[in-house]
Amino acid sequence: MTAASRNNQPDLRDLLAFYASAGVDEALEEAPVNRFAEAAPRPAERAPATTAPSPPTGESAAPQRSTSFSRAETGERPNAAPAARAPSATATVPDEAQAALARQLAATAATLDELRQHMAAFDGCNLKFTAKNLVFADGNPDAAVMLVGEAPGRDEDIEGLPFVGRSGRLLDRMLAAIGLDRTSVYIANVIPWRPPGNRTPTPHETEICRPFIERQIELVNPKVLVNLGGPSAKTLLNTTEGILRLRGNWRVHTTASGTAIPAMPTLHPAYLLRTPAHKKLAWRDFLEVKAKLRALG
Ligand code: URA
C-alpha cells in the first residue's frame, strides 16, 4: 500500500459510512451498469405473453426466461447470496409472461410447503437476484391472525424471516399487548425478496409477486388479516386510499376461491418508529383485532 493510498483511507471510510447511512448497503456489480444503454430484448427472446408455461412438474417447472438462467443450471444453493451472474439476469425487468407464470405457480401450490418451493424456483422477479434469501413467512400457519407487511429489509434478508429487525421488535411488542406472539400469528410480506437498499418495490414487482401472497393467504385461511402499512393494504384490499384514511376500519380481503376474510389495515411498525405519536392509533387498531377474534370465537 502506498503512502498516498493510506492517506485516502479515511476518505473511503467516510464515503462508505455515507453510503451505509443512506441505505446503500449492497454492492450489486463490480462496475457501474448503464441501464439506459441496454438493448430491449428482441421479440423472439421474450416468452409469449398469452401462453402460460407448463405446470411446475419436473423439468418443465423451470421458469421460461430466455435471458436468464435457473439456479439449478448454475448449481447455486437455493437461498444463497447471488454470486457471479450473467448481467442480463439482474437487468431484465419481468414481463407479462412472468406474471402469468407466477399466477400459475401460485394457483397450483396445494400446500404452503409447495408454495414456498414454487416461489424459490421462480426466477421471474428481478428482486430475487439481489436478495440473499427468500423471506417466506414466520409464525404459526394454523393461526387465526395473519399479518402482511410490505417487503423484507436488511435483517429479514439476512435471516430469511419477516419482521426480525427494529420494526419486527416493535411488532412483537404490539402483538404482546393484545396477548399474541409468533406462536399465535402467521407473518408474511407482499414481496418476499428484499428490494436493494430497501427501495420501494415497483408496481411491476408488486404485480409479479401478488399471486404468491394471495395464495399464501388463501392457504393459511386466517380468521383475520392485518395489513401492516399502505402497500399491503392497497395491494390486498384493492384500494388506492391512503393508510391514514384506511386504518382502523374493517375491510374485506376476498380470496381467489371467494372466501371473504375480515382485514384490518393499520400503520406499519417502521412508520411508528418514525412517528411515535401515532402509536396510539395502531394500539386502537390492534384492540379492534383482539375484539374481532373474541367475537369470531
Ligand atoms: N418491513 C416489512 O414490511 N416487512 C418486513 O419483513 C420487515 C420490515
Side-chain angles (χ1 to χ4, degrees):
M1 187 183 289
T2 65
S5 65
R6 248 194 312 273
N7 286 344
N8 283 339
Q9 273 193 326
D11 290 350
L12 287 175
R13 267 200 298 271
D14 289 350
L15 182 61
L16 284 175
F18 168 75
Y19 282 156
S21 67
V24 182
D25 53 13
E26 296 281 336
L28 302 185
E29 307 277 351
E30 290 290 326
V33 177
N34 182 354
R35 305 281 177 204
F36 296 103
E38 282 161 10
R42 290 190 298 278
E45 287 179 330
R46 298 173 73 93
T50 48
T51 317
S54 33
T57 47
E59 291 296 315
S60 57
Q64 307 295 298
R65 183 156 138 170
S66 54
T67 52
S68 169
F69 53 87
S70 78
R71 287 177 181 232
E73 281 159 16
T74 61
E76 189 178 331
R77 282 180 296 121
N79 281 349
R85 293 209 164 93
S88 56
T90 53
T92 306
V93 176
D95 57 16
E96 177 49 35
Q98 299 305 329
L101 178 58
R103 287 194 289 275
Q104 187 187 36
L105 288 170
T108 54
T111 63
L112 287 169
D113 270 353
E114 262 182 46
L115 182 64
R116 182 201 280 262
Q117 285 166 28
H118 290 191
M119 288 164 70
F122 179 65
D123 279 352
C125 179
N126 50 332
L127 296 176
K128 177 179 183 179
F129 296 103
T130 50
K132 290 183 172 56
N133 277 305
L134 169 72
V135 177
F136 183 72
D138 194 16
N140 181 352
D142 298 322
V145 186
M146 177 166 176
L147 301 107
V148 181
E150 181 184 15
R154 185 170 180 274
D155 297 317
E156 289 76 19
D157 186 35
I158 290 168
E159 291 199 32
L161 291 170
F163 285 99
V164 291
R166 264 188 87 211
S167 51
R169 287 192 289 279
L170 174 57
L171 178 61
D172 286 342
R173 291 199 297 278
M174 291 159 70
L175 289 170
I178 56 165
L180 299 174
D181 63 19
R182 290 188 190 224
T183 66
S184 49
V185 301
Y186 184 83
I187 310 177
N189 281 305
V190 170
I191 307 273
W193 294 284
R194 182 200 181 197
N198 295 347
R199 69 162 168 75
T200 301
T202 66
H204 203 154
E205 288 158 354
T206 302
E207 277 314 299
I208 293 275
C209 295
R210 174 206 284 274
F212 294 128
I213 185 62
E214 288 185 343
R215 182 68 179 143
Q216 207 166 350
I217 295 169
E218 193 170 25
L219 288 169
V220 172
N221 193 22
K223 287 183 179 165
V224 169
L225 182 69
V226 177
N227 300 97
L228 298 169
S232 167
K234 285 177 186 165
T235 307
L236 298 171
L237 305 179
N238 203 19
T239 175
T240 54
E241 270 181 79
I243 189 65
L244 286 170
R245 287 178 70 90
L246 283 172
R247 62 141 291 276
N249 299 301
W250 285 103
R251 298 276 170 140
V252 171
H253 171 80
T254 307
T255 67
S257 53
T259 305
I261 300 174
M264 172 54 67
T266 190
L267 302 171
H268 193 287
Y271 169 83
L272 296 174
L273 288 171
R274 294 192 302 273
T275 321
H278 280 179
K279 281 185 184 169
K280 59 178 181 288
L281 302 178
W283 167 238
R284 279 181 215 153
D285 303 344
F286 271 58
L287 288 179
E288 280 288 336
V289 171
K290 186 178 179 182
K292 177 71 95 185
L293 286 172
R294 199 165 282 159
L296 292 173

